[in-house]
């Protein structure tokens, strides 16, 4: 997974791996200790399939007897393709995450995250997973998008080409007459 960062607000972060956090100092604190890590990035690429611009977020890590609870709130913009007209558009994403990084295997939650021996937690995979869950299944640049002409491919949002948009060649067209 690759992460690209152009501008970063968190001075503690490594520009090449901005979401790798050293939690060693939190592990040795008392139960109830909490620390926040703010992020502000012009551009962040999470893996090969998700690029975010204007990325902002805050991660709070709380020390508990079982492990470290990671809480985060994030936002950023990504580029999607409309499923009707194939036009690219900017889509705002906002999401939250809550995960437990356990100290011992007995305390592991269903996500099976453990605090590594190096005390370096890389949050990139978690950020990617939670962000992808917020993407629409069928992205539309506009709810009233007319799509493309099934005959010539003309973008019907720009100009009506005059072709009929009824697809009577479908084997299910007969069923439509029964309604």
């Amino acid at each position: 997974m690759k992460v690209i960062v152009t501008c970063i607000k968190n001075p503690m972060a490594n520009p090449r791996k901005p979401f790798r956090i050293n939690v060693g100092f939190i592990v040795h604190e008392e139960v109830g200790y909490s620390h926040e890590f703010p992020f502000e990035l012009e551009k962040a690429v999470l893996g090969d399939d998700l690029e975010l611009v204007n990325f902002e977020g805050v991660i709070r890590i709380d020390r508990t007897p079982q492990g470290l609870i990671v809480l985060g709130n994030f936002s950023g913009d990504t580029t999607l393709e409309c499923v009707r007209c194939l036009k690219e558009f900017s889509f705002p994403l906002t999401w939250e995450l809550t995960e437990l990084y356990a100290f011992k295997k007995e305390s592991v939650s269903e996500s099976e995250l453990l605090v590594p021996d190096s005390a370096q937690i890389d949050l990139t995979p978690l950020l990617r997973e939670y962000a992808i869950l917020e993407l629409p299944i069928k992205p539309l640049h506009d709810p009233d998008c007319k799509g493309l002409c099934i005959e010539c491919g003309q973008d019907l949002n720009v100009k009506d080409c005059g072709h009929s948009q009824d697809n009577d060649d479908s084997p299910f067209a007969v069923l439509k007459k029964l309604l």
Side-chain angles (χ1 to χ4, degrees):
M1 228 178 269
K2 80 181 174 185
V3 175
I4 299 172
V5 176
T6 312
C7 173
I8 188 161
K9 185 178 180 180
N10 184 357
M12 293 177 53
N14 176 347
R16 293 176 58 206
K17 298 191 179 198
F19 304 115
R20 180 186 284 173
I21 299 175
N22 183 351
V23 294
F25 70 98
I26 301 173
V27 170
H28 300 293
E29 292 291 337
E30 294 180 16
V31 171
Y33 180 81
S34 182
H35 191 84
E36 285 191 353
F37 298 89
F39 292 92
E40 191 173 312
L41 309 147
E42 283 181 21
K43 181 179 179 182
V45 178
L46 304 174
D48 296 332
D49 58 350
L50 183 61
E51 182 176 309
L52 298 165
V53 294
N54 303 322
F55 179 86
E56 294 180 354
V58 176
I59 293 172
R60 190 178 89 216
I61 301 179
D62 297 336
R63 168 74 160 84
T64 68
Q66 294 79 23
L68 302 176
I69 295 191
V70 178
L71 304 151
N73 293 306
F74 306 95
S75 66
D77 298 323
T78 190
T79 302
L80 298 178
E81 186 177 83
C82 179
V83 295
R84 291 185 188 159
C85 68
L86 306 179
K87 180 180 182 179
E88 287 192 347
F89 65 101
S90 179
F91 185 79
L93 282 177
T94 56
W95 72 97
E96 298 177 354
L97 69 83
T98 303
E99 290 290 346
L100 171 68
Y101 280 83
F103 293 133
K104 299 176 185 175
K105 285 191 178 195
E106 299 83 41
S107 302
V108 170
S109 64
E110 64 185 45
S111 59
E112 299 182 1
L113 297 170
L114 283 169
V115 176
D117 293 336
S118 66
Q120 300 276 330
I121 294 177
D122 187 3
L123 297 172
T124 305
L126 280 179
L127 289 173
R128 182 184 167 281
E129 286 179 33
Y130 277 84
I132 286 176
L133 289 173
E134 296 301 318
L135 293 174
I137 294 171
K138 293 183 178 182
L140 297 173
H141 81 278
D142 180 0
D144 297 325
C145 177
K146 297 175 184 174
L148 302 176
C149 173
I150 58 174
E151 192 77 27
C152 67
Q154 169 67 41
D155 185 348
L156 299 173
N157 298 305
V158 177
K159 178 176 118 178
D160 187 3
C161 60
H163 291 117
S164 171
Q165 298 306 310
D166 294 328
N167 190 2
D168 291 334
D169 295 339
S170 168
F172 299 107
V174 178
L175 295 175
K176 190 175 186 181
K177 294 175 186 175
L178 296 175
L179 294 176

